[in-house]
Amino acid sequence: MGEPPLSDAELEAVTIGPLEELNAPIELAEYDPAWPELFNVESKRVRSAIGDRALRIEHTGSTAVPGLAAKPIIDMLLVVGDSDDEASYVPALERAGYVLRIREPEWHGHRLFRRADPAVNLHVHPDGCPEIDRILAFRDHLRSNDADRRLYEQAKRALARKRWKYVQRYADAKTSVIEEILSRAIMS
């Protein structure tokens, strides 16, 4: 969420496997009340796979905010003791159907796993990482602040209409509105 934009070369360097080009607008879906249940199912899958190494699992991103349009991909935050200790959790998550796609140890120890069915982005950070608080503050603020939820959705819809080479570029383009909203979330 607070990640500085990466160049194409930097994005390629942190991506495991080939970069997936979109070269299209982003498809947003209206809020689906089934999204929290999908999160619950996937949270159980992750907990079953890695047990107590999952220190915290949270539903994040736009699918975690009732009433907010979103890409129909469940974003999840997984907190582990040490995200650099991949041997302690990566093989088990892979056996559970998650594919490690991004490795960014320099940026808050971030790892990103994807699952295709259902569509999930599983973001992993180590315990104590300050980005965890930012992610959850943003989500919680959008859940409780109608004006900022509308502002964020308007920005998302305007950006989604553009053609994006990579989905990450769309995410990067939202940074200014996210930081604006997050500054209010942290002050409240």
Side-chain angles (χ1 to χ4, degrees):
M1 189 166 82
E3 180 178 8
L6 301 175
S7 69
D8 284 1
E10 290 169 323
L11 185 58
E12 188 171 0
V14 299
T15 301
I16 299 164
L19 276 175
E20 297 169 0
E21 289 191 19
L22 177 65
N23 292 315
I26 300 294
E27 292 184 30
L28 296 180
E30 295 304 319
Y31 179 78
D32 186 338
W35 288 338
E37 185 52 35
L38 284 173
F39 163 75
N40 288 335
V41 168
E42 290 307 304
S43 176
K44 289 174 186 165
R45 183 186 316 274
V46 169
R47 178 101 34 218
S48 176
I50 67 170
D52 61 5
R53 289 168 294 193
L55 303 179
R56 187 173 190 177
I57 304 171
E58 295 278 349
H59 188 186
T60 60
S62 295
T63 62
V65 180
L68 184 60
K71 295 187 314 291
I73 300 170
I74 305 299
D75 279 304
M76 297 173 59
L77 169 65
L78 168 62
V79 179
V80 297
D82 179 5
S83 59
D84 289 336
D85 182 10
E86 292 185 6
S88 72
Y89 66 96
V90 171
L93 288 174
E94 289 177 335
R95 284 190 299 275
Y98 289 91
V99 177
L100 181 60
R101 290 289 292 143
I102 303 282
R103 179 182 289 123
E104 297 177 286
E106 298 83 20
W107 186 72
H108 303 288
H110 180 247
R111 306 303 192 272
L112 170 71
F113 291 79
R114 289 206 181 123
R115 182 173 168 79
D117 189 19
V120 174
N121 286 335
L122 178 65
H123 299 269
V124 179
H125 285 287
D127 193 29
C129 167
E131 188 64 10
I132 295 166
D133 293 335
R134 287 171 45 87
I135 292 166
L136 298 176
F138 184 72
R139 177 203 64 193
D140 293 347
H141 183 76
L142 290 180
R143 283 176 171 174
S144 64
N145 187 295
D146 293 339
D148 278 341
R149 185 173 51 252
R150 282 191 304 274
L151 172 66
Y152 187 51
E153 183 165 333
Q154 289 166 355
K156 287 172 43 143
R157 287 186 185 279
L159 291 168
R161 288 191 284 273
K162 297 180 179 184
R163 186 175 193 83
W164 299 96
K165 181 176 182 180
Y166 303 114
V167 173
Q168 184 60 47
R169 297 296 172 246
Y170 162 76
D172 293 343
K174 297 184 300 180
T175 299
S176 63
V177 73
I178 289 171
E179 291 300 327
E180 174 189 337
I181 293 169
L182 192 53
S183 70
R184 288 191 288 276
I186 292 170
M187 289 178 8
S188 61

